[in-house]
Amino acid sequence: MILSRPLQDILSGCNEAPSLSPLSGLILKRLNMSPRALQKTCSLGSASRDPSPGLSEEAPVSSTSPFASANAQPTPLSSPLLVPRLKKDTEQQIVGDEDSAPDASDDLSPATNPIPPPTISLLSPRATQMEGCIRICEEKHRAKAKMELSLRQELQEKLVASVASRESEQLKRFEELMELKQRQEDQSMRDMMDRETQESIGRQEKLKEEHKNRIKILNLRLREAEQQRLREVEFERQRQVEGRERLRALNAIQEEILQLNQLLEPAAPTQSGPSPDLTSYSTRANQLCSQVSEVVRMTAEGEFPSVEDMTVAERALHEMRSLIRVMQEAAAQAQEKRKKEQEEEEKRRKMAMLQAQQEEQKKSAALSAKEKARKKGLQTKAEQSTLKWYRELQDSANQCAQSFEGLNNTKDIQTKKLRMELQKAATIPVSQISSISGSKLREIFDKIDKLLSGRSVVSGGKSVSTSQHPNGLDFVSYKLAEKFVKQGEEEVASHHEAAFPIAVVASGVWELHPKVGDLILAHLHKKCPYAVPHYPPMKDGTSVEEYQKILGYRVEDGGVEAQDSFLKRMSGMIRLYAAIIQLRWPYGSKQGPDPHGLNNGWRWLAQMLNMEPLADVTATLLFDFLEVCGNALMKQYQVQFWKLILLIQEEYLPRIEAVTSQGQAGSVTRLKQFLESSLRSRQIPPPKGQLSSHFWRS
């Protein structure tokens, strides 16, 4: 801690042995100035003086020593009357003369005090005791003063430190403020210089741009002048070229018009008929030739024909071509008309002969059927040609099944997965067929067609194609045909209207992929032999259950299915077949023949009537077939169809009634009512569920 010099002197005086203060001279001076007080003090001291001879000597007090020794006699400064005043003067002197302590000490030094100290006598024991108390008190006051001085010193130091710190911070802020002002001034000066620099650069750039623009304008004018000169040169050259081209074109037009005029010369009459009159065409052609020749003559020597001249010549050429075209069309129309008349005459003659032959054949077939039914009775089995066709279809289906037997019996996991995906891709679209909308039906057909064509289709979120396996196409075709027949067996049996959307898709697939159509027939004949029609005989060694399966019954562990269920399934399949033979896919080419048309329905109906009726089965199938296909057969065969309906009512229906028991009369009654209603109104209504043109636009 750094102390001021007066404070250091005070502390050093406190740490040393007690001695008189340097201010004693001032005190003595003041005492000399007051002799009354000094005399009083001396008298008090002499009244209590000890008469001991050892202490009678005066102890001279030097004005240069601060305090007397502890064993010396007490001086008048130790008097109780002088102590408070001494302390007070000392404190005032210390407080008032902190900064001028060196000067005060110089003024109060002993050298400047010529007054000798007064003679102080020794005090009595009581006075000595009092002096001791006074000294103890002085020590206490001195300690207290020292403590207060230390506190004041610390306070002063803190105050000085605080003031110094504050002044230092203020000085720093002032310096920072001055630096900030200086930086701001420098920055403003730099900004001003930058602005002036930018302005000067801008002026220079502007001058440069103006100079460049003037240069560009001059260059553009020069280029435009050069281009104008080149254009004029090119225009003159082009005019020469175009003039020569127009001259050549004019000559070519005149040549072509003259050649076309020769085509309008009247031709000699032929044996096929008189030629059309071409006089008006020839007259107009001669006028056009004269017009073009006039244009050619008007062209001066060395000059080229103008655009107007070429327009006139081209218009004349165009009109001449139109004349030739109209003349040729008239001649062609006349020739075509004569040809069509001849063809129509030939066609009418052939159609008359064909209709006569068909009428004769149908009459003979109806008469032979009547005679055969009347004389010999009806057949119990199908004709040989029908049976041969039936066996060929079954053999083809069996061969197809054998071709993918390896795919069915494979143990490879990937091949099994492929088989399942192919089966799903083939059967799921058929299950989705409905009469909701034509667009949906077309999507299903396109998906089936893509699958059968070997292209990839998406099934169950996976892409699959028949080309992924060598026998994939046979497998898909077989499963697809099987699914179509199953839909007739189940869906059509429950909902008769469903026959038409399923049938139209099957017919479209049949037309594009004939193999699928043959497989559909094979599956249909296997599950419903009456669709051939064929009544399989019971062979030797065949069990009853096996024979019932051949007839189309379902034989399970619980036994043979009920007759109603059997008839319902047969009805559904016959309805599907009757719908297929009268429908054709509307978006097909329709150029070739129908893959399995109405003639097969007429064949089935005729062969059905040539066979002995079966109880309950024949009546049911005839009613279902005629209800679905009767309207189409009526429109196609007209009179012959009504003869066949009349034959059923008059001759075949009694045979059905003869083999029908009382419990099976429901199907016979429905057939009888249908025949009577149709013959009475001479009309068979369209079947329910038939697809209209509005359906295909939905």
Side-chain angles (χ1 to χ4, degrees), residues 82-97:
L82 297 176
V83 170
R85 186 171 182 178
L86 179 60
K87 288 177 63 178
K88 184 175 180 181
D89 293 338
T90 304
E91 291 176 359
Q92 291 178 353
Q93 188 68 22
I94 291 173
V95 174
D97 299 333

Side-chain angles (χ1 to χ4, degrees), residues 42 115 183 194 242 277 331 335 349 392 470 512 562 588 597 670:
C42 292
I115 300 172
R183 287 197 303 272
D194 291 341
E242 289 177 355
D277 187 12
Q335 186 69 20
R349 186 176 60 81
E392 287 176 354
L512 295 178
R670 285 193 298 272

